[in-house]
Amino acid sequence: MSEQHSARQRDERSPADPGPIAASMLGLTGFCLFYVGAKLLAIPLPHYLPLEARFVLSVSEGKVSMGYYAMIGFGLIGMLVGIIVGSLPPIRRWAEQDRSRSMLGLLTLGTLVLALGYYLVVELWL
Amino acid sequence: MIVFESLAKPLLLLHALASLALTGAVTHNGLIAIRQLFGQATKTRLQKLYVKLAFYLYVPSFVLGLLIYPAFRVRVRAAYLDAAIPLAKRLFEVKEHWLAIGLAILLVYYPLSRVIDVRRRDGVTLMYNVFGIALALIVWLSTIVGLLLVMQRSI
């Protein structure tokens, strides 16, 4: 077996760095919470008016408007918040334990399922 | 004047082509993720390639979708779908929200794929594999809904 292959195997089996994992998980959790929160709490986000090619804060009745761009931006802000929180030293230390990482994984999974389920139900049935 | 309306058709074609390739990448990745979920940590290097491909196809495809969205919103949705086929409008909304969430998944899934060890059996690897399967489902749903909408009326 070549030395390069052995090194690759060692690299693949080494435990992952908890820092990026915690930041990633909390980043996705932040996105989902902000993205769902924007609709659930009716947060007043800017709307784009495609016929006038400009953003406005409030839309008058009957105008064709798009809130999607601002919602994505709001979700990305949530992701940034999650990444920053996940990069804090106490969180990184906490995420070094297997049990904490599992909890973080399940929390992220729960938030993701909640976000996907929320938009499926709200858009199709409500 | 609607932004990018004059370029809407070529952009839609590029959007469709990127989505087609993306569907292939996420499907292969999703199948590997299903195997890993059941304890078969195989094809890990191939999976990293599929995730990389998915990332570099998803982002441009998503951006192209955002560029043609204003033309679609006015010429197709407001002018036709909202009144004629309300279910299509609702499906489109689900597609758009799921794609935004899919983008967020991919933004963490791709960096995670570079550091994670899928041989470990914990909540993180479980979630990692679910991400892969969720991405495949989101892209398949979006591709099917997108094709159904284009069959009704296109920009």
Side-chain angles (χ1 to χ4, degrees):
Chain A
M1 190 182 293
S2 72
E3 197 174 311
Q4 191 184 4
H5 184 69
S6 304
R8 197 162 57 221
Q9 274 198 332
R10 274 199 306 277
D11 181 50
E12 282 178 351
R13 284 174 191 171
S14 64
D17 179 3
I21 289 179
S24 301
M25 306 272 185
L26 290 174
L28 181 58
T29 303
F31 182 95
C32 289
L33 290 177
F34 273 54
Y35 195 76
V36 168
K39 180 139 183 151
L40 195 65
L41 306 173
I43 291 171
L45 294 173
H47 276 69
Y48 180 70
L49 303 179
L51 286 167
E52 297 166 30
R54 67 188 176 97
F55 282 91
V56 290
L57 277 174
S58 60
V59 184
S60 45
E61 194 70 31
K63 277 206 168 181
V64 178
S65 68
M66 300 162 57
Y68 189 53
Y69 295 149
M71 279 184 71
I72 294 169
F74 193 63
L76 290 174
I77 291 171
M79 176 177 267
L80 193 63
V81 170
I83 289 172
I84 291 169
V85 170
S87 305
L88 294 173
I91 303 291
R92 286 173 67 105
R93 276 197 297 278
W94 176 76
E96 280 170 9
Q97 300 161 20
D98 278 353
R99 189 180 155 80
S100 312
R101 285 151 54 107
S102 292
M103 276 174 61
L104 207 51
L106 294 174
L107 169 81
T108 310
L109 193 59
T111 320
L112 178 66
V113 170
L114 179 87
L116 291 172
Y118 173 77
Y119 278 107
L120 184 72
V121 171
V122 162
E123 296 299 344
L124 284 186
W125 286 286
L126 297 180
Chain B
M1 187 187 122
I2 301 168
V3 69
F4 291 114
E5 190 178 15
S6 58
L7 291 170
K9 282 187 190 296
L11 290 177
L12 177 64
L13 181 64
L14 287 175
H15 177 61
L17 289 173
S19 304
L20 197 68
L22 173 65
T23 307
V26 295
T27 303
H28 283 288
N29 179 55
L31 291 173
I32 293 174
I34 289 172
R35 280 201 210 115
Q36 287 175 356
L37 207 56
F38 291 100
Q40 296 176 17
T42 56
K43 299 184 179 175
T44 52
R45 298 186 69 196
L46 192 59
Q47 187 188 29
K48 285 182 188 204
L49 175 68
Y50 287 137
V51 176
K52 192 175 186 177
L53 264 175
F55 181 79
Y56 286 107
L57 287 165
Y58 196 111
V59 175
S61 179
F62 190 82
V63 171
L64 286 166
L66 290 181
L67 295 182
I68 54 180
Y69 193 22
F72 172 84
R73 181 72 183 81
V74 175
R75 304 293 179 216
V76 180
R77 225 191 94 176
Y80 177 68
L81 285 183
D82 284 0
I85 318 174
L87 179 64
K89 177 206 137 188
R90 285 164 171 256
L91 280 172
F92 177 77
E93 289 291 322
V94 174
K95 164 187 170 329
E96 292 305 278
H97 292 308
W98 278 31
L99 278 175
I101 295 167
L103 177 73
I105 293 175
L106 203 58
L107 287 178
V108 301
Y109 188 59
Y110 177 48
L112 208 53
S113 74
R114 300 166 74 93
V115 296
I116 200 163
D117 179 2
V118 291
R119 291 175 183 85
R120 289 170 71 95
R121 306 285 296 163
D122 59 14
V124 178
T125 46
L126 167 75
M127 189 215 54
Y128 178 77
N129 290 322
V130 172
F131 279 179
I133 297 164
L135 266 177
L137 287 175
I138 288 169
V139 171
W140 268 98
L141 173 105
S142 305
T143 306
I144 291 169
V145 171
L147 287 171
L148 287 173
L149 291 177
V150 168
M151 281 180 211
Q152 297 301 320
R153 181 170 289 190
S154 184
I155 44 180

